[in-house]
Amino acid sequence: MKAVVLAAGEGTRLRPLTEDKPKGMVEIDDKPILTHCFEQLAELGASELLVVVGYQKEVIIEHYGDEFEGIPITYTHQREQAGLAHALLTVEEHIDDDFMLILGDNVFEANLTDVVDRQREDRADAAFLVEEVPMEEADRYGVCDTNDYGEVTDVIEKPDDPPTNLVLTGFYTFTPAIFHACHLVQPSARGEYELSEAVDLLLRSGRTIDAVRMDGWRIDVGYPEDRDEAERRLQDARGALDSEGENEASADVAVDTE
């Protein structure tokens, strides 16, 4: 399965961290955000990385070149910041089957495999990783509603009065049907072609979209404090793994000396 990484953003809210680099190249725990994304997509078995670049694209291209851990990289260029649906259309000619989509400013330690597995069941046209957030924060995200079967029934982008606190994270799987929907999207009040509007068009055409509840955590790195929080969590997770390894080693030594 191919993987699309949206990494065209400028990251104005992350300044001064993005004064000399695009958002995806901001480092967290000594690695650019994009490296964290690429590593997870590699673990998910991505056959090709389709990276949508824009602002300071040469920094990304020069850093990664044409492959990552043996996985080929194809770059496409979003020439204007016109929304996620607009960005996604830049890879249309490279996709002819189900694919993964990750936002290149998100850091995950979560059950992404469950989303990919759900897509492979062939019962849905898309699957989204979703999470519950405090109601007062829901208006920062695309908000969704679901039925009793866990299927998405409605998606609203950054609503003033969120109907639920269940929000889209930055990881999705789609069939190529999403491209037709993206072509039909009209600019939002923000002047952007919203991915949530394309999803709404899929729903209205009778397509099935499954919501997979997140087990773990993710950080949408929009502000410097988000970067700091993501780094803290990654370091805590690594420390926990190191402690487990030390405990196992100690147990092995104890067994050997008995």
Side-chain angles (χ1 to χ4, degrees), residues 150-215:
E151 298 169 347
V152 177
T153 57
D154 192 22
V155 174
I156 309 169
E157 183 66 25
K158 298 179 180 176
D160 293 332
D161 185 18
T164 75
N165 65 334
L166 191 66
V167 305
L168 305 180
T169 68
F171 186 74
Y172 317 77
T173 55
F174 289 106
T175 68
I178 188 61
F179 294 115
H180 179 63
C182 287
H183 279 293
L184 298 176
V185 169
Q186 297 299 308
S188 67
R190 301 192 300 163
E192 296 189 358
Y193 296 86
E194 309 284 4
L195 183 59
S196 57
E197 178 64 21
V199 169
D200 184 60
L201 290 171
L202 285 183
L203 291 170
R204 285 195 274 156
S205 69
R207 307 275 182 165
T208 299
I209 300 175
D210 279 350
V212 178
R213 299 273 179 153
M214 186 169 68
D215 181 11

Side-chain angles (χ1 to χ4, degrees), residues 35-140:
T35 297
H36 292 284
C37 293
F38 292 175
E39 287 176 343
Q40 291 187 310
L41 294 170
E43 291 178 4
L44 292 168
S47 59
E48 181 179 359
L49 300 174
L50 301 168
V51 184
V52 183
V53 294
Y55 175 73
Q56 293 196 23
K57 63 183 185 296
E58 64 281 352
V59 177
I60 295 173
I61 295 170
E62 289 174 7
H63 184 85
Y64 293 104
D66 58 7
E67 69 172 40
F68 178 82
E69 296 183 356
I71 304 170
I73 299 176
T74 297
Y75 298 97
T76 63
H77 185 199
Q78 185 185 23
R79 298 185 182 279
E80 56 180 317
Q81 300 295 302
L84 299 185
H86 180 268
L88 186 54
L89 284 175
T90 67
V91 305
E92 182 178 13
E93 65 180 282
H94 301 283
I95 299 285
D96 58 9
D97 206 345
D98 293 4
F99 66 97
M100 297 177 273
L101 172 65
I102 193 169
L103 304 188
D105 56 2
N106 278 231
V107 178
F108 287 93
E109 284 290 325
N111 53 323
L112 306 187
T113 301
D114 292 344
V115 182
V116 176
D117 290 344
R118 187 71 59 87
Q119 186 73 31
R120 286 176 171 150
E121 292 174 0
D122 288 332
R123 63 170 298 280
D125 296 279
F128 301 163
L129 191 67
V130 300
E131 68 169 325
E132 291 186 12
V133 300
M135 186 60 83
E136 62 270 18
E137 297 178 11
D139 60 359
R140 291 178 53 188

Side-chain angles (χ1 to χ4, degrees), residues 221-239:
V221 185
Y223 296 90
E225 56 265 31
D226 297 326
R227 190 214 75 89
D228 295 342
E229 175 65 12
E231 182 160 276
R232 183 189 66 77
R233 292 200 188 191
L234 287 171
Q235 291 174 348
D236 287 350
R238 188 172 64 250

